[in-house]
Amino acid sequence: MDIELRYYPVDGTVFLGNDYLIKGVAGAILWKLARDHVHAGRSDFSTRELRLARGELRLPDVQDNLESRLLLLRRRLDQRGAPMRIER
């Protein structure tokens, strides 16, 4: 199944096909995960490696922020019926 994601790095906006999906830190996280999946075939990721990519993802200094962004992303993917999922 082909999935078309478009990413706008200026504000981290991600479109799924022609539909807006999410933006900001959660959008940057999704883009990183999708890019790593496409280029390296990965499907398992750790929060530790996301924290290490802090600059790329523009994560704020608050530690709990990553978990809340992942929860927001998980919910948005479910709400939109996206063909990809984030699981714990």
Side-chain angles (χ1 to χ4, degrees), residues 1-87:
M1 168 189 290
D2 287 339
I3 300 170
E4 179 188 347
L5 288 179
R6 286 182 289 136
Y7 178 66
Y8 296 90
V10 171
D11 61 359
T13 300
V14 177
F15 282 81
L16 178 60
N18 292 322
D19 299 322
Y20 168 80
L21 184 61
I22 201 158
K23 74 177 194 175
V25 173
I29 291 169
L30 177 59
W31 185 249
K32 177 181 178 24
L33 299 178
R35 194 179 63 230
D36 286 357
H37 175 72
V38 168
H39 290 112
R42 295 184 59 204
S43 59
D44 292 323
F45 302 89
S46 70
T47 55
R48 183 177 190 282
E49 71 182 281
L50 292 176
R51 289 185 199 289
L52 291 173
R54 173 178 302 282
E56 175 186 355
L57 300 176
R58 294 178 276 167
L59 286 173
D61 291 333
V62 179
Q63 287 291 333
D64 294 332
N65 196 278
L66 177 60
E67 292 297 330
S68 63
R69 302 305 171 134
L70 288 170
L71 180 61
L72 172 66
L73 180 55
R74 184 180 310 132
R75 286 180 182 165
R76 185 63 56 90
L77 290 170
D78 289 344
Q79 289 170 349
R80 301 279 197 234
M84 72 231 5
R85 295 283 179 262
I86 292 183
E87 298 175 356

